[in-house]
Structures are given as C-alpha cells and as structure tokens.
Amino acid sequence: MALTSAQLNELERMMKKRRDALEAELHADAAKSREDVFSQMAGEVADSADEAEADLISDVENAELSRDLEELRVLEAALARVRDGSYGTCVDCGGEIDLERLRAEPAAIRCIDCQRIHEKTFPEPPRPKL
Ligand SMILES: [Zn+2]
C-alpha cells in the first residue's frame, strides 16, 4: 500500500523537526568551538596533561559532529526524495518500505528485507566503545 499524503506529511514533519534540531545543535557546537579558540588565544597556559585531555575531548566532539553531519545529510536526502516523489520506495528492490519502518526510521532508504541483506553484505565497522 502506497503512503497516503497524510502519512507522507507526518513523516516529512518528523524529519524536518529532527533536521532543525540537528542544525541548531551544530550551530551551537560551532559557536562553542569559536569560544574555545578565543579562550586559547587569550593566552591561557595549559600544562601538558590538560592539553592531552583537551585533545581527547575534541576527538570525541569531532566524532559527535561527524555523526550529526551524517545524520543531517541522510535527512536532507530523504526530504529531497519526498519532493521528487521517490520517498518510501526501496532503493534496492523498488518495493514499498513499510510505514512502521518509516515511522521508526523516517530516512530509511531500504525495505527491511533489503536492509538485512545490505547489512550482511556491508557490515558496519565496529564503533569504538567509550
Ligand atoms: Zn527492498
């Protein structure tokens, strides 16, 4: 069953809300990074232990940042599919993606069967545990 326009609107709203939240978060992060740079330029002298800690924190922040950016990219791509009418169609088999799956993961590009095959074929690298 194809998505009704009400269902499509609902999913689009969910994705836009999430995108706006991500964008706000990214802007806040960018503002914070600038503050960090300014406080460093203000001539604080950190000892080497503090510097190592600061490096570690910025690595974690960068990992979060790239995850957010990736999610934003995926959401933008899904919203573009809503506009061109291909949203809700599996990119692998061309079948319809279940509404339940889209509600759980609005930016999904594959039906559940193709996603399972995809994950078996291209397993994600293990994420480092913190
Ligand atoms: Zn499929």
Side-chain angles (χ1 to χ4, degrees):
M1 199 184 76
L3 293 169
T4 66
S5 59
Q7 287 164 342
L8 198 58
N9 283 341
E10 177 200 338
L11 292 162
E12 191 181 14
R13 254 201 321 275
M14 279 168 65
M15 289 191 288
K16 283 185 171 164
K17 210 171 139 190
R18 179 66 188 143
R19 180 196 59 187
D20 292 348
L22 272 174
E23 277 179 352
E25 205 176 297
L26 287 166
H27 285 151
D29 282 353
K32 195 155 63 84
S33 313
R34 275 197 300 275
E35 274 171 30
D36 289 349
V37 171
F38 283 132
S39 66
Q40 275 165 23
M41 283 175 10
E44 283 176 27
V45 183
D47 68 37
S48 57
D50 280 353
E51 267 172 32
E53 200 176 316
D55 283 349
L56 190 68
I57 290 168
S58 78
D59 280 353
V60 172
E61 279 179 356
N62 284 337
E64 275 172 17
L65 193 67
S66 53
R67 258 202 313 276
D68 284 352
L69 284 170
E70 172 64 14
E71 191 182 350
L72 192 61
R73 196 186 60 77
V74 167
L75 280 170
E76 290 290 1
L79 287 165
R81 289 197 304 276
V82 171
R83 285 192 296 274
D84 73 17
S86 63
Y87 181 78
T89 304
C90 173
V91 292
D92 282 356
C93 70
E96 282 162 13
I97 304 173
D98 281 348
L99 180 60
E100 285 315 304
R101 171 159 168 71
L102 289 172
R103 281 206 170 116
E105 205 179 322
I109 58 170
R110 289 183 185 83
C111 70
I112 196 84
D113 291 340
C114 292
Q115 184 62 36
R116 282 202 192 102
I117 296 166
H118 182 80
E119 277 168 14
K120 251 182 231 166
T121 318
F122 305 99
E124 279 192 37
R127 291 172 194 275
K129 289 193 179 64
L130 291 173

